[in-house]
Amino acid sequence: SDPTGFQASLSPVMEWGTDRLMDWASRLGTLWAEDAAQLISDEGITGKDLANYVDTDSGGNSSPSELLISCSSKYQSIDKASFAKAISALCAKGYLSTVGVVKVQGQV
């Protein structure tokens, strides 16, 4: 067991570097996951940049921002709408745990 690795998995998304985001994208389990990871690498995207890639309406629905649309144009395989939803969900959660439901500060 690796408690430090687990603790690192709870680090806030806003603090994630490009490598961590590439790892997240490559694990999305989609046909375009590797291209998404490559886009993150090419653009040097970090956690604090993520919000720039998604537009969210007043109803909480997310869609790809102009920035995501323009920089993903060379990756035709990427489903931009799904990628935007994944980014939005990651930002809303604020961290990523790889161990399922985790009790954080007394809340499940």
Side-chain angles (χ1 to χ4, degrees), residues 18-60:
T18 301
D19 289 346
R20 181 79 191 274
L21 279 176
M22 287 175 61
D23 185 55
W24 166 79
S26 68
R27 295 170 189 252
L28 287 173
T30 64
L31 295 173
W32 44 265
E34 289 302 320
D35 280 348
Q38 189 60 52
L39 177 139
I40 288 168
S41 174
D42 289 352
E43 298 294 319
I45 300 169
T46 64
K48 66 182 184 309
D49 303 321
L50 285 177
N52 300 326
Y53 291 84
V54 182
D55 290 333
T56 306
D57 66 22
S58 57

